[in-house]
Amino acid sequence: MEIRNHWRRDVTLGEDRSRSRNPNLLANVALIRSALLPLFTRHFPERSLPEIREHLHSRPGHGLALLHAS
C-alpha cells in the first residue's frame, strides 16, 4: 500500500521533486499529502487527480481548508 500511496503522491503532487533533504520535513509533508489524497476524491468526485491539482494550484489555502474541515 505504501508503494501505491508514494506513487500517487509523486505523480499527482510531485513529491520526488522536493529539493529538501530534511527527513522530518519530508515525512511531515508526506503525511499531509497522504491525508489530502482521499479528501480530494471525496470532495471532487467528478475530477481526476491532475485536474484537482491544477484547481488547487492557484488556491493553496483550499487544500488546507479541506484538512481542517475533516
Side-chain angles (χ1 to χ4, degrees), residues 23-33:
N24 292 326
L25 173 73
L26 294 172
N28 288 328
V29 171
L31 285 171
I32 292 169
R33 289 174 175 157

Side-chain angles (χ1 to χ4, degrees), residues 7-42:
W7 182 85
R8 290 179 70 203
R9 288 191 318 257
D10 185 34
V11 170
T12 306
L13 303 170
E15 185 168 79
D16 287 346
R17 290 188 310 242
S18 174
R19 297 180 76 194
S20 175
R21 297 296 170 240
N22 180 324
N24 292 326
L25 173 73
L26 294 172
N28 288 328
V29 171
L31 285 171
I32 292 169
R33 289 174 175 157
S34 291
L36 280 172
L37 285 174
L39 294 176
F40 288 166
T41 55
R42 186 178 330 143

